[in-house]
Amino acid sequence: QVQLVESGGGSVQAGGSLRLSCVASGYNFSSYSMGWFRQTPGKQRARVASIDIDNTGITYVDSVKGRFTISRDNAKNTLYLQMDGLKPEDTAMYYCAADPVGYRVVLGYPANWGQGTQVTVSS
């Protein structure tokens, strides 16, 4: 069974940085596309970034381009999201996601989700 556990969230001032981690287990991590999504109250979860198998096929939502960096370490079964230049509008619950079909992650319908980690950015 796919298990995803996020960590690294917290509260920071605008302009600060955080690095989120997602530790995966229960499947062949390197065979799955991965992604980060975020959700605020009253809104749907939206893709922030995605990365295909073997550290390829990287995508970002326009609002985070140049500020966030997604990466994966297949040897450690871990997905990362480095977030720099954080803004108050980045405040959300951030979720790690996995799916063996890459386009399902890109389009926002991955089969597997973590429990989330909260990111709060103050003005």
Side-chain angles (χ1 to χ4, degrees):
Q1 182 176 351
V2 175
Q3 294 180 318
L4 305 169
V5 180
E6 303 96 332
S7 63
S11 298
V12 298
Q13 301 265 330
S17 297
L18 287 171
R19 188 179 75 161
L20 306 184
S21 298
C22 172
V23 178
S25 63
Y27 70 103
N28 186 354
F29 178 77
S30 64
S31 70
Y32 277 59
S33 292
M34 304 292 296
W36 288 101
F37 293 73
R38 63 188 180 187
Q39 185 173 24
T40 55
K43 296 182 179 180
Q44 296 180 339
R45 279 179 289 186
R47 175 177 55 82
V48 177
S50 66
I51 185 166
D52 210 340
I53 60 174
D54 300 320
N55 212 28
T56 62
I58 293 173
T59 71
Y60 297 98
V61 67
D62 286 345
S63 61
V64 308
K65 288 181 178 177
R67 299 189 297 119
F68 291 9
T69 303
I70 189 171
S71 62
R72 65 192 295 165
D73 187 337
N74 288 345
K76 297 180 179 180
N77 289 354
T78 303
L79 176 74
Y80 302 99
L81 185 67
Q82 178 66 44
M83 304 185 293
D84 299 316
L86 283 163
K87 303 176 180 179
E89 51 263 45
D90 295 319
T91 296
M93 184 73 74
Y94 283 71
Y95 297 90
C96 174
D99 198 294
V101 181
Y103 73 80
R104 293 210 289 257
V105 177
V106 174
L107 296 180
Y109 301 99
N112 305 286
W113 297 92
Q115 294 297 306
T117 185
Q118 179 68 39
V119 171
T120 302
V121 184
S122 60
S123 301

